[in-house]
Amino acid sequence: MAVPASCSRQSRTCSPKHDGYVLQSAAATACSSNSKPTPACAVATMRLERSLHRLFATPETFLNEDERLAIGEFLSIADALDGPHTSFVADGLGGLGEPLDLMVFAANVGEGPDERSPLALPQFALLTEVTGKPTEALLTRMLRLLATIVNAERTRMDKQAFFVRNRRGDDSGHGMVGEPRTWRGPGRPPIEQQVTPTIWFDGGFVALASTQAAAIQAITAAKKAGRAPTRGDRLLVRGGPLARELIANHRPLAFARMLDEGDSPTEADQFFVVVERVLAAIDLLEVSLMAEAKVTRATVRLQRVPATGEDPLKEQGR
């Protein structure tokens, strides 16, 4: 399995061209895993051939009685948020393209030792098409109401509320962003300082993301590459960038393994060193599932990083 000719290891750039073996979506803007990812390159992407609209519109087709009751309770709350003249299923989910893409980008944290949280959170974005302004307005209103509820609960728990603001992009796009208050100490900032919950609209796309940067990155990639239709479930992982994310969080992850698995400090450390080394040796990993009439076919494609004699994790101090 060859690396797409449109990807350059030397220039560390991404091309919007599609390739037959990678996920046919915005995630197809892939480069070598051991190149430093550009903003449009995701660490991992996933697309599931599922329809949320069908699930919520006809739950009796897919769910048991208890699950249908849970769906009904959720919809009663969701519909009440925006009043009696709109429907979460018909006007909200019905105005979105399907399936959705989940994209994972590298963490975006401060550089100084006092600016970093103990855990560097990757950035997440759910991406799809949106049909028009009515759906945009409905989603924005509902999320603003949810933000008000969340902020009220945070205030009750003696936590600082997020500022919820309307934002416009430098070149294009607009959305709503929840911003944490400036951290003034003492100590390192909490993990939530890395999160700016965002809904962003641009060029017929919508992204619901953990940060404004991730939302813009996801839509930027989609506008360049498009979202070609696909069948089946697909997962695409780039080993090098994922290894770097694990290295950035090595100590807290090792500590969590000590608590969960009872490993000694040495055993927990060695476990993640091995995982990081394996991932660094993988250029691209794609897993796909295709449901057919009588069987479900699973395909796994793996591309290793070409041997160069250099240590791919040397710059990370591994």
Side-chain angles (χ1 to χ4, degrees), residues 44 46 100-105 122-128 198 206-211 213-219:
M46 181 172 65
L100 281 69
D101 289 327
L102 173 64
M103 307 180 72
V104 183
F105 297 94
Q123 303 175 83
F124 299 88
L126 275 174
L127 171 76
T128 191
T198 298
V206 58
L208 182 63
S210 62
T211 66
I216 293 175
Q217 288 172 10
I219 292 181

Side-chain angles (χ1 to χ4, degrees), residues 14-317:
C14 287
S15 166
K17 295 180 180 178
H18 293 298
D19 184 79
Y21 73 87
V22 297
L23 182 62
Q24 296 292 320
S25 69
T29 56
C31 286
S32 166
S33 287
N34 285 281
S35 296
K36 183 178 180 180
T38 66
C41 291
V43 174
T45 57
M46 181 172 65
R47 174 181 286 189
L48 300 179
E49 191 182 27
R50 306 287 189 271
S51 172
L52 286 176
H53 183 259
R54 288 182 60 196
L55 174 65
F56 281 87
T58 58
E60 65 279 359
T61 305
F62 307 100
L63 306 177
N64 60 38
E65 184 177 356
D66 291 340
E67 292 168 334
R68 292 197 299 271
L69 289 173
I71 289 290
E73 292 174 357
F74 169 81
L75 289 178
S76 65
I77 297 173
D79 288 337
L81 285 175
D82 200 50
H85 303 296
T86 58
S87 165
F88 174 76
V89 174
D91 303 314
L93 296 179
L96 299 178
E98 290 184 323
L100 281 69
D101 289 327
L102 173 64
M103 307 180 72
V104 183
F105 297 94
N108 184 15
V109 295
E111 296 297 330
D114 294 331
E115 298 176 0
R116 301 193 197 102
S117 296
L119 187 67
L121 291 180
Q123 303 175 83
F124 299 88
L126 275 174
L127 171 76
T128 191
E129 296 92 349
V130 62
T131 57
K133 295 296 183 181
T135 301
E136 287 188 19
L138 171 62
L139 294 175
T140 302
R141 288 195 306 269
M142 294 187 69
L143 289 175
R144 185 178 294 278
L145 287 169
L146 287 174
T148 301
I149 295 171
V150 170
N151 274 341
E153 182 64 15
R154 289 181 61 83
T155 301
R156 188 188 67 81
M157 299 172 64
D158 200 26
K159 293 184 177 181
Q160 291 185 336
F162 281 72
F163 294 109
V164 180
R165 295 189 170 103
N166 294 325
R167 295 291 190 192
R168 300 199 69 86
D170 294 335
D171 299 319
S172 63
H174 64 277
M176 186 174 66
V177 181
E179 301 173 352
R181 297 174 185 269
T182 302
W183 178 253
R184 303 187 185 282
R188 290 185 175 186
I191 294 174
E192 63 194 38
Q193 290 294 120
Q194 301 174 54
V195 177
T196 55
T198 298
I199 184 168
W200 198 259
F201 304 95
D202 190 5
F205 293 98
V206 58
L208 182 63
S210 62
T211 66
Q212 183 179 357
I216 293 175
Q217 288 172 10
I219 292 181
T220 298
K223 289 170 66 177
K224 290 181 179 179
R227 271 172 39 97
T230 61
R231 287 196 57 210
D233 302 338
R234 293 174 183 267
L235 171 68
L236 180 68
V237 177
R238 313 186 203 292
L242 182 55
R244 286 192 284 270
E245 293 301 294
L246 290 183
I247 290 171
N249 291 297
H250 184 96
R251 291 182 64 184
L253 290 175
F255 182 68
R257 183 172 177 83
M258 291 165 56
L259 297 178
D260 292 341
E261 304 295 334
D263 285 1
S264 68
T266 301
E267 291 170 336
D269 179 75
Q270 188 61 35
F271 173 84
F272 283 103
V273 167
V274 171
V275 172
E276 292 155 7
R277 285 284 179 183
V278 171
L279 288 173
I282 297 173
D283 197 7
L284 293 171
L285 170 65
E286 184 189 19
V287 180
S288 62
L289 297 174
M290 181 72 69
E292 300 179 357
K294 296 183 178 180
V295 297
T296 297
R297 300 187 182 277
T299 304
V300 179
R301 295 186 175 94
L302 176 66
Q303 176 176 301
R304 294 185 59 187
V305 174
T308 62
E310 298 181 359
D311 187 346
L313 297 183
K314 183 179 179 180
E315 64 182 38
Q316 276 78 38

